[in-house]
Amino acid sequence: KISVLLIALTLLTSCKGVSQEKEMVSDQNKNDAKEFEVQKTEAEWKAELTDAEFYVLRKAATENPFTSELLDNKKKGTYVCAACGTPVFKSETKF
């Protein structure tokens, strides 16, 4: 009984899950420099965008909850990035 328990315990604690591999891959990707199709300086972005757009799009800020004028927007089509025009999602997938 004890030897079976020890073998089972060893197998359970020595298993390497797939999620560990995913973490390692995502950590490697963080170190890779990304090349973006649109290349602009911060000054160029600031000149092109409104203050609110600049802070949301370039500085990862968020607008206050339920304050967007687009909150109840139900228009059909593809929504694009306000800065570069890259398609972000289609109206069919908007919650």
Side-chain angles (χ1 to χ4, degrees):
K1 284 185 176 181
I2 293 177
S3 61
V4 174
L5 183 60
L6 286 174
I7 291 172
L9 184 60
T10 303
L11 288 174
L12 289 174
T13 58
S14 65
C15 288
K16 181 178 173 188
V18 176
S19 62
Q20 293 169 337
E21 292 176 18
K22 288 179 185 177
E23 278 184 31
M24 293 172 61
V25 170
S26 66
D27 287 344
Q28 290 171 353
N29 291 340
K30 288 178 187 175
N31 296 330
D32 295 341
K34 292 184 180 179
E35 273 299 313
F36 295 102
E37 195 172 312
V38 178
Q39 302 270 335
K40 295 182 184 182
T41 65
E42 288 295 299
E44 289 172 320
W45 282 118
K46 201 160 193 166
E48 186 175 313
L49 302 169
T50 67
D51 286 342
E53 290 172 335
F54 178 79
Y55 287 107
V56 169
L57 296 168
R58 302 297 302 160
K59 299 297 181 183
T62 59
E63 53 194 17
N64 291 326
F66 307 108
T67 61
S68 174
E69 53 195 53
L70 301 174
L71 185 64
D72 295 319
N73 182 8
K74 305 294 183 204
K75 292 181 183 175
K76 301 279 185 207
T78 301
Y79 290 76
V80 298
C81 174
C84 66
T86 300
V88 178
F89 64 89
K90 294 185 178 185
S91 57
E92 299 90 46
T93 59
K94 183 180 181 211
F95 59 91

